[in-house]
Amino acid sequence: MSDEIVKILDDLGKRFGVVIDWSENNILPYIQDLFHRVVMHEVYTSIVYIVVFLIICIGCSISIPLILKYANKVLEERPLSDWYEGRYIVTILLSIIIAIFIVCIILQILDIVTCFTIPEKIFLKFIESTKA
């Protein structure tokens, strides 16, 4: 094993409070287990983000017709109400939120695909993010 990898793994071990004995023959299973856990952590967090983003998108999609219905009702009663412009502004803002979260969902799906096709990339990103 190269000295660079040993230094990185020692640093990771210190961060997690684990001392690695490099003389043992069981270090390879430990590294494989750590590698697997890091990749699965990325998969699980991506799934949680997707669920949260979907809930927000569904909430916004349900809110738009309800807000428009309410705005139209108010405008029937008071034609010069603030809801005349407000309904368009709220609809545009909620539509922008939906678009942003759809992009976020696509990015999270791409993260999951990366986890299953090139897991080394996720592990390297994890190592780079833990460098101090």
Side-chain angles (χ1 to χ4, degrees):
M1 232 185 274
S2 78
D3 291 335
E4 189 75 22
I5 293 174
V6 170
K7 289 177 186 176
I8 290 171
L9 291 174
D10 277 337
D11 183 54
L12 282 175
K14 287 178 189 175
R15 291 176 192 267
F16 289 118
V18 177
V19 177
I20 300 173
D21 183 9
W22 293 102
S23 64
E24 294 291 322
N25 293 332
N26 62 356
I27 192 64
L28 185 59
Y30 171 75
I31 293 173
Q32 289 172 336
D33 180 54
L34 178 65
F35 180 84
H36 178 71
R37 285 188 284 149
V38 167
V39 172
M40 293 313 296
H41 175 267
E42 182 67 28
V43 170
Y44 295 145
T45 55
S46 292
I47 290 171
V48 168
Y49 283 135
I50 288 171
V51 169
V52 169
F53 294 155
L54 280 174
I55 290 170
I56 292 171
C57 287
I58 291 169
C60 289
S61 298
I62 292 171
S63 298
I64 290 173
L66 294 175
I67 290 171
L68 290 176
K69 183 178 176 182
Y70 175 76
N72 290 335
K73 180 181 172 185
V74 170
L75 286 171
E76 285 176 7
E77 296 170 5
R78 293 176 281 147
L80 298 176
S81 171
D82 290 338
W83 276 104
Y84 186 74
E85 294 90 10
R87 63 184 171 172
Y88 298 116
I89 293 171
V90 170
T91 302
I92 290 170
L93 288 176
L94 290 177
S95 298
I96 290 171
I97 290 171
I98 290 171
I100 289 171
F101 284 127
I102 286 175
V103 169
C104 292
I105 288 170
I106 291 169
L107 292 175
Q108 293 302 316
I109 290 171
L110 291 176
D111 273 355
I112 292 173
V113 169
T114 302
C115 286
F116 290 116
T117 55
I118 312 170
E120 296 85 3
K121 183 177 176 183
I122 301 298
F123 191 69
L124 288 174
K125 201 182 331 179
F126 172 76
I127 289 174
E128 288 174 0
S129 70
T130 58
K131 287 184 181 178

